Amino acid sequence: MLIDFGAFTRGNTPRGGNATVTPPSRAAPKPAPKAVKHSYGSAGGFAALAGSSSESESDDDEDKEEATIGSEAEDQEEAASSDGEDTKNDFAGKSAREIVGDAAFDKLEMRVQNICNELMSNHIEQEAKECMQEVVESIDEKQRAGVIPELVFTLLGTALDTSDTKTTERLLCNNLIAASVQDSLLSKEQLVNGLLFTADMLDDLLIDMPKAADYFAHSVKLLLDKELLEDEDLEKVTGAMTPKVADKFRAAL
C-alpha cells in the first residue's frame, strides 16, 4: 500500500498539538573573539614607539587596551546572540512544506520513500546511507532542523506500511535511521522530533496500518538499545500519543 505521507504533514503543527517539533535554528554563530592581553615591556610595545612614556603610563595604557578589547568582544557576543535569536524565529511553527515549498518537499519525500523501498528490496545498506547523505546535504543547512524531522517520519512511515513477513526489511530501515544518527548525518534533536511527529500521527496511521504502533515500538526499542535515545525521550514520544495508542505501543515495546 502506498501512503500519501504528505497528507499528514500539510499543517503547521502535528495533529492534537501534543508533539512539539522544536523550531529550527540556523547554524550557531561563530563565537566572538576572546580578549587578547598584549604584552607591553620597557623595550617594546607602544611605549617603545612613543619613547617618552613612563612605566606607570604604560600600565595605564595596557589597562585601557584590555578594557577596550573586552568591551568590543562583549559587543560582538551580544550582536551574535541577537542574530541567533532572530534566525531561531525564522521558521518557528512552520511545517517543512512551508519552509521549502510544496514542490521541493514532495521531491524530498519521494526520494526518502524510494531509498527505503530500495533498501527493503536489495538490502544494500551502504548505498542507502550514501543516498540519505545526498538527501540531507541537498537541504539548506539553515532549514534542516525544520525539514529533517518530517523526513524521519516519512522514512518510518514507509517502513511501517509493510506486512508481518517484512521483519528484516523494517529492521534495515530502522538501522538506516540509527546509522544516520551515529554518523552525525541526523542530530539527536532531529531524530527525537521525527519520532514525536510520528507518534502524534499514529492514531491516523493505524486506520490503514493496523500494526503501526507495534512496528513503531520496534523502531524505538532498537534506538534505545543502541543508546541513541534516553528514557526521557521515550516518555516524550509516548506522551505524544493518545492513551489508547500509547497502550498498544507499550505492550509491543
Side-chain angles (χ1 to χ4, degrees), residues 130-143:
E130 293 171 359
C131 290
M132 276 299 295
Q133 181 175 351
E134 290 176 2
V135 169
V136 172
E137 291 178 349
S138 72
I139 305 169
D140 189 301
E141 188 174 350
K142 295 172 290 189
Q143 299 175 334

Side-chain angles (χ1 to χ4, degrees), residues 26-33 72-88:
R26 295 189 179 183
K30 295 181 179 179
E72 290 175 351
E74 289 177 1
D75 291 343
Q76 291 180 27
E77 288 176 355
E78 290 178 2
S81 176
S82 177
D83 290 341
E85 289 300 319
D86 290 341
T87 59
K88 286 180 181 179

Side-chain angles (χ1 to χ4, degrees), residues 2 15 21 40-41 63 67 70 108 160 167:
L2 180 61
R15 179 198 52 75
V21 176
Y40 293 83
D63 291 341
L108 291 170
L160 297 179
T167 302

Side-chain angles (χ1 to χ4, degrees), residues 4 66 72 99 109-110 115 123 131 137 162 166 194 197:
D4 177 14
E66 291 179 352
E72 290 175 351
I99 293 173
E109 190 175 53
M110 183 59 69
I115 290 171
H123 296 192
C131 290
E137 291 178 349
T162 52
K166 298 292 184 179
F197 203 101

Side-chain angles (χ1 to χ4, degrees), residues 1-6 8-9 109 112-114 116-117 120 148-163 169-170 173-174 177 194-195 197-199 201-202 204-206 208-213 215-216 219:
M1 180 190 304
L2 180 61
I3 301 298
D4 177 14
F5 294 104
F8 298 106
T9 62
E109 190 175 53
V112 170
Q113 286 179 320
N114 288 341
C116 188
N117 287 326
M120 290 190 291
I148 289 178
E150 294 193 33
L151 294 180
V152 171
F153 164 68
T154 300
L155 184 57
L156 280 168
T158 305
L160 297 179
D161 187 24
T162 52
S163 65
E169 286 72 14
R170 284 191 296 276
C173 288
N174 292 335
I177 295 174
L195 296 176
F197 203 101
T198 306
M201 296 296 177
L202 271 181
D204 294 327
L205 292 175
L206 282 167
D208 296 307
M209 310 174 195
K211 291 288 190 72
Y215 296 160
F216 183 54
S219 300

